[in-house]
Amino acid sequence: MQAELTYERVRTGLAGLGMSAALDSLDNVLEMARVDDSPAVDVVDRLLDVELKARNDRRFETNMKLAGLPYRQPLEDFDFDAQPSIDPQLIGRLATLHFLEEGTNVLLLGPPGVGKTALAVGLSLKAIESGHRVFFIACHDLVGRLKKAERFDRVDRLLSTMLRPTLLVLDEVGYTPLDRAEATFLFEVVAKRYDRRKPMIVTSNKSWGAWGEILPDQAMTAAILDRLLHRSVTINIQGESYRLREHRKAGLIPSPINTQKGGDDQPLNVSNPNR
Ligand code: ADP
Ligand code: MG
């Protein structure tokens, strides 16, 4: 009788504390303990383990949704042999996520298809798995959101969205030039995150020297690059597009090909299902 009352109290307690995963597995854990004749501390340990795992999973899924990653390719699936211009040890060091604490920006430069977004996604996944908030946005989408925010007088809100996450990924800077209002907003994001030591991952098809072509003037370009580069790692990726390489391996296009055209998103007239 006493045991039944205690059991009911435990159920009510778990429910009251919102420990629904522990509550769901309570009977199993107790049965397991009875069969194994395991000590009471094991029961507590198992219940906490179930609850913590469930909470981590929930947090991961929530943060994944908020992050808006374009796909879920883990860093472990990145084929370093295919892209010898990338130092796997450097990526390995970034994967430890020290750069998040240091506020070091990671700048991935190179022609289309060489894995810039894939690396940004892989590092983002690592950050989300560790419980960090990440926000991923392509530059042209940011421009679209800024236009909308201006119409509805919500630019401040958009700015907070860009400043709040531990890691902000700004993908594909450089395909379209930014006007003064857009560049000013970008400057604000970069400068405020810099002041708060909150890192960004930026990918671009343009070298630093060519950023003047996408920003309205020299002073703005210098101001943005100054903050972006001060605490940063730049990874210059050269070589062939991974997609085209796969096409070529499959015999769909002839070899050799020239991938060093810089800035041309469709260097060959191959139908590309990923674009
Ligand atoms: P970009 O440099 O244009 O951002 P992506 O990172 O989007 O290129 O790469 C294009 C496609 O090829 C993606 O589907 C990506 O997952 C894949 N990819 C690129 N490089 C690699 C690589 N080294 N290993 C595995 N997949 C890769
Ligand atoms: Mg990309």
Side-chain angles (χ1 to χ4, degrees):
M1 192 56 194
Q2 184 61 37
E4 259 169 51
L5 279 178
T6 309
Y7 172 79
E8 280 312 321
R9 211 169 43 241
V10 168
R11 292 191 68 88
T12 313
L14 290 175
L17 289 167
M19 296 174 71
S20 51
L23 178 60
D24 287 347
S25 59
L26 179 63
D27 291 348
N28 273 342
V29 170
L30 290 175
E31 179 58 18
M32 226 152 71
R34 199 184 57 79
V35 172
D36 301 352
D37 199 17
S38 42
V41 70
D42 279 13
V43 175
V44 178
D45 184 45
R46 278 179 200 149
L47 281 180
L48 286 179
D49 190 49
V50 166
E51 184 61 35
L52 285 172
K53 279 211 179 77
R55 285 185 185 197
N56 279 342
D57 288 354
R58 268 205 308 274
R59 185 165 61 172
F60 175 77
E61 284 309 325
T62 306
N63 284 346
M64 272 303 284
K65 265 194 216 121
L66 293 174
L69 301 184
Y71 47 82
R72 274 195 192 197
Q73 181 177 321
L75 214 46
E76 288 72 19
D77 289 358
F78 194 82
D79 177 5
F80 286 97
D81 294 337
Q83 219 58 260
S85 67
I86 303 171
D87 175 6
Q89 284 186 347
L90 173 58
I91 305 300
R93 279 201 296 280
L94 291 172
T96 63
L97 301 180
H98 287 315
F99 78 99
L100 292 184
E101 287 140 46
E102 297 158 0
T104 303
N105 292 327
V106 179
L107 312 160
L108 298 156
L109 306 181
V114 291
K116 301 184 296 297
T117 302
L119 287 174
V121 165
L123 290 171
S124 297
L125 279 170
K126 283 264 179 282
I128 298 168
E129 279 162 12
S130 306
H132 294 289
R133 289 251 201 117
V134 177
F135 188 62
F136 184 109
I137 189 162
C139 192
H140 54 94
D141 288 334
L142 178 59
V143 166
R145 286 188 61 165
L146 179 62
K147 287 215 165 69
K148 210 167 152 194
E150 280 165 346
R151 268 207 308 282
F152 294 101
D153 202 18
R154 284 190 190 156
V155 177
D156 283 352
R157 204 192 284 187
L158 181 61
L159 186 62
S160 326
T161 303
M162 306 297 283
L163 298 180
R164 205 177 305 119
T166 315
L167 174 64
L168 174 69
V169 183
L170 188 58
D171 197 26
E172 303 200 329
V173 179
Y175 283 105
T176 39
L178 302 179
D179 67 22
R180 187 158 292 279
E182 293 156 3
T184 304
F185 185 77
L186 177 63
F187 170 71
E188 258 191 276
V189 171
V190 170
K192 291 219 162 88
R193 290 192 66 94
Y194 172 81
D195 289 344
R196 296 174 192 191
R197 278 191 171 253
K198 283 184 146 185
M200 297 176 64
I201 298 181
V202 177
T203 84
S204 179
N205 61 325
K206 292 260 195 301
S207 65
W208 296 132
W211 270 46
E213 298 164 19
I214 50 175
L215 295 165
D217 66 49
Q218 283 255 320
M220 183 71 89
T221 309
I224 290 178
L225 288 186
D226 182 56
R227 267 79 167 181
L228 217 46
L229 295 178
H230 181 218
R231 292 183 297 264
S232 69
V233 183
T234 296
I235 302 172
N236 275 298
I237 313 179
Q238 283 118 38
E240 184 178 358
S241 155
Y242 190 80
R243 297 192 195 99
L244 296 183
R245 181 178 185 270
E246 295 301 295
H247 278 294
R248 181 164 54 73
K249 279 208 311 216
L252 295 173
I253 54 172
S255 171
I257 58 168
N258 173 18
T259 59
Q260 297 294 323
K261 286 183 154 186
D264 181 0
D265 209 352
Q266 296 287 337
L268 291 171
N269 54 351
V270 181
S271 72
N272 191 332
N274 291 324
R275 287 262 171 189

